[in-house]
Amino acid sequence: MDNIRPIRTDEDLAWALREVAVYFDHPPALGTADADRFDVLSDLIEAYENRHYPIETMEPIELLRAHMDTTSRTQADLAALLGSRSRASEILNRKRALTVEMIFKLSSEWGIPAECLVAPYRLAA
């Protein structure tokens, strides 16, 4: 594997991103030196970004609200999915916890990953 080096700075990161960008348009064949180079560079990029630019996980209700905003869904849409307006309001106002059935519906109908909705969160007092 030619020309692989540690990623220690943002300049190194920019270099590595340029190097792997070529492979997006022309994926290397599995088992080739180029495929190995792509894998190693991708792992180095991921490790550097995770260390220097971690992405904070969102709390489930924040994630649900953000998803609704992004997809132009309303509380009425959530009510239609969950079965009642009051239930949707209680969920969004943290008066009721998401059930397994609700999480399944949100995942299968709206495409929100179930594992993102099962994280613990606080209900309002």
Side-chain angles (χ1 to χ4, degrees):
M1 282 183 275
D2 296 332
N3 195 19
I4 292 182
R5 61 183 192 241
I7 299 175
R8 294 190 176 110
T9 65
D10 284 347
E11 291 79 26
D12 292 337
L13 176 63
W15 166 82
L17 289 171
R18 283 191 306 274
E19 292 292 308
V20 298
V22 174
Y23 298 122
F24 293 130
D25 293 331
H26 305 288
L30 291 177
T32 64
D34 279 345
D36 291 344
R37 186 170 191 274
F38 175 75
D39 288 342
V40 170
L41 284 171
S42 296
D43 287 345
L44 290 171
I45 290 167
E46 181 180 12
Y48 181 85
E49 288 179 340
N50 287 342
R51 199 169 36 252
H52 296 280
Y53 302 103
I55 298 173
E56 293 183 33
T57 57
M58 291 181 87
E59 184 269 339
I61 301 305
E62 291 174 16
L63 177 82
L64 177 58
R65 286 183 179 278
H67 181 81
M68 289 172 65
D69 288 343
T70 303
T71 59
S72 300
R73 289 194 167 102
T74 64
Q75 187 170 328
D77 296 324
L78 182 62
L81 182 68
L82 299 181
S84 77
R85 286 181 153 295
S86 62
R87 185 167 299 139
S89 177
E90 290 169 344
I91 294 296
L92 293 175
N93 290 309
R94 302 170 194 274
K95 300 291 183 186
R96 177 188 291 251
L98 289 167
T99 65
V100 172
E101 181 181 348
M102 291 176 196
I103 292 169
F104 178 78
K105 285 182 180 180
L106 287 164
S107 180
S108 60
E109 299 290 325
W110 285 10
I112 302 173
E115 61 271 12
C116 295
L117 296 171
V118 296
Y121 60 93
R122 285 190 210 165
L123 295 176

